[in-house]
Amino acid sequence: MKIVIVGCGIVGATLAYELSQNFAVQVLESRSSPAQESTGAALGLLMGVISQKVKGRAWQWRQEGLRYYQRLLPELAAINLPVLHNHQGLLKLVADPADLAKWQSLAEIRIQQGWPMEIWSAAQILDRCPFLEISDQTSAVYSPADWQIHPAQMTRALVQAAARQGAGFHWNTNVLQVTDGGVDTAMGFVAADRVIITAGLGSSLLTAKSEQPLELMPVLGQAIHYRLSGFPDFHPVVTSNDVHVVPLGGGEYWVGATVEFPVGTEVIPSAESFAELQSNAHKFFPALATAEILATWSGLRPRPVGRPAPVVERLGGYQNVIVAAGHYRNGVLLAPATAGIVQEFLGLE
Ligand SMILES: Cc1cc2nc3c(=O)[nH]c(=O)nc-3n(C[C@H](O)[C@H](O)[C@H](O)COP(=O)(O)OP(=O)(O)OC[C@H]3O[C@@H](n4cnc5c(N)ncnc54)[C@H](O)[C@@H]3O)c2cc1C
């Protein structure tokens, strides 16, 4: 069976890696290299256990993501494709004591489900993470099983691994239209038995003529790359009020991300949102206030309109076209489960 995958972010690359183990896979990407859109802006947090989802598909998919990368990382390292990651867990600060009961009850559920989770007092937080600034009232949820991977490195590693399995990658190849027999590009028609649309925000245009067009809203996120001169040994990802500090090692940190909705048809990075992100991060991690800023960037998250994220289904009105898009804030975490569902559609599982 010949499969064409349209788009090479984390979702397309994961599918290319999995499907090229059994099929002839061609990936068509409009940009000149992988992970240039949403995936290239992502922080790569795998926030599964710490999420408030405790049952149903949302929880299953999160567990699948955590377990998949756990298996994949050594698999890729063994073929000389290491991916930067942080395995020291995730520490979520809870500033308001009124919120603590909710997290205590989640911790009980997670322990019953077989996932570790601890509640720390202010003294325990400062004992283990003395670089944080918190009030006496602050507590924290420590989730050792949640972690972080470098999304662009992971995507590039999957592309290389898939290519070694025989997948073909075609950069600068914009897909204009999908059909049941293949796809139209500016360079001509590419025939396929199955077409999978993993084009992120570009999926709207490609599904526009179907019986069920996928409407996606771009939700902007800004982030900052810092470098500090000294850095601690134990450093989980620290998150407070939806601001995440991600240690990359060697004193480097990513901090993100804002959540900015479009005004009218435009979504432009807001200076106020950026300033708020910085000031919130500096409040609980004051060393960042004097750290060097190496880079700042923004990206767009593909959010389905009026439907839960992500959308993984057969495209309405087509026999051979599957859409796997609209992963919004968790595309890195949910790419593995997405690949599993697509494989079910293909009759592989
Ligand atoms: C600031 C920020 C932080 C984030 N942090 C996290 C996080 O910590 N954890 C997490 O899980 N998720 C995070 N996300 C969300 C995550 O980035 C997305 O959900 C995920 O990257 C979506 O992946 P994708 O492959 O579907 O889309 P994309 O990465 O956007 O890839 C789609 C690809 O399709 C290509 N394409 C589009 N149209 C066409 C066409 N017509 N023909 C050919 N190619 C086409 C594009 O060029 C692009 O390369 C974050 C996002 C942002 C912006």
Side-chain angles (χ1 to χ4, degrees):
M1 180 157 57
K2 277 198 221 159
I3 297 178
V4 160
I5 296 172
V6 184
C8 196
I10 187 71
V11 178
T14 306
L15 269 160
Y17 176 64
E18 290 301 320
L19 296 180
S20 59
Q21 292 167 23
N22 295 298
F23 300 112
V25 171
Q26 299 297 321
V27 181
L28 311 183
E29 164 57 53
S30 57
R31 304 288 298 256
S32 56
S33 59
Q36 292 299 304
E37 295 291 341
S38 199
T39 302
L43 302 180
L45 299 178
L46 306 174
M47 295 176 72
V49 177
I50 199 101
S51 87
Q52 286 286 342
K53 314 277 185 200
V54 295
K55 57 182 188 197
R57 79 167 207 182
W59 170 231
Q60 287 310 325
W61 289 10
R62 280 164 173 76
Q63 293 185 88
E64 230 173 292
L66 289 171
R67 293 191 174 120
Y68 179 86
Y69 288 116
Q70 196 80 278
R71 280 198 311 274
L72 183 67
L73 227 65
E75 212 170 289
L76 292 175
I79 53 169
N80 271 331
L81 296 171
V83 176
L84 194 66
H85 60 279
N86 182 319
H87 235 313
Q88 300 205 43
L90 189 140
L91 187 70
K92 183 182 176 63
L93 302 179
V94 182
D96 185 350
D99 290 340
L100 190 57
K102 177 178 89 178
W103 293 106
Q104 276 167 332
S105 113
L106 180 70
E108 280 166 27
I109 294 169
R110 289 297 185 239
I111 288 160
Q112 277 167 18
Q113 289 173 329
W115 292 94
M117 184 172 271
E118 299 166 17
I119 304 290
W120 291 1
S121 65
Q124 285 171 310
I125 299 169
L126 290 176
D127 182 46
R128 289 159 209 189
C129 303
F131 48 90
L132 294 179
E133 191 158 296
I134 53 165
S135 79
D136 294 350
Q137 300 292 302
T138 302
S139 48
V141 190
Y142 178 54
S143 175
D146 286 315
W147 52 301
Q148 185 266 346
I149 56 166
H150 191 302
Q153 271 190 18
M154 175 57 81
T155 307
R156 290 192 290 266
L158 286 166
V159 166
Q160 287 194 45
R164 290 180 200 174
Q165 291 170 172
F169 289 85
H170 308 271
W171 313 113
N172 301 308
T173 306
N174 191 35
V175 171
L176 305 170
Q177 181 174 281
V178 298
T179 71
D180 270 329
V183 300
D184 279 321
T185 77
M187 270 87 91
F189 186 73
V190 181
D193 302 304
R194 298 285 185 280
V195 175
I196 308 168
I197 302 174
T198 60
L201 280 169
S203 306
S204 282
L205 204 58
L206 292 171
T207 61
K209 288 187 187 155
S210 74
E211 285 172 4
Q212 206 176 5
L214 176 56
E215 197 186 339
L216 295 168
M217 172 198 283
V219 179
L220 191 136
Q222 301 188 67
I224 311 165
H225 186 169
Y226 287 96
R227 182 163 53 207
L228 271 175
S229 48
F231 52 94
D233 289 340
F234 173 65
H235 201 329
V237 172
V238 182
T239 166
S240 175
N241 274 333
D242 220 17
V243 172
H244 313 293
V245 174
V246 182
L248 303 171
E252 293 188 28
Y253 297 84
W254 283 341
V255 173
T258 62
V259 179
E260 302 172 44
F261 288 87
V263 180
T265 52
E266 283 200 291
V267 57
I268 302 165
S270 129
E272 292 84 46
S273 301
F274 182 85
E276 202 182 332
L277 171 68
Q278 270 198 308
S279 106
N280 284 340
H282 298 174
K283 263 184 220 149
F284 67 89
F285 196 157
L288 290 178
T290 51
E292 182 187 358
I293 293 183
L294 297 178
T296 61
W297 69 93
S298 69
L300 300 174
R301 310 170 179 96
R303 183 188 192 210
V305 176
R307 307 185 58 178
V311 174
V312 189
E313 62 191 20
R314 273 185 214 286
L315 187 59
Y318 294 78
Q319 293 298 310
N320 301 327
V321 181
I322 296 166
V323 59
H327 287 72
Y328 191 32
R329 298 187 73 176
N330 284 299
V332 183
L333 176 61
L334 300 180
T338 303
I341 298 160
V342 171
Q343 283 173 299
E344 276 173 33
F345 282 132
L346 296 173
L348 282 178
E349 284 190 349

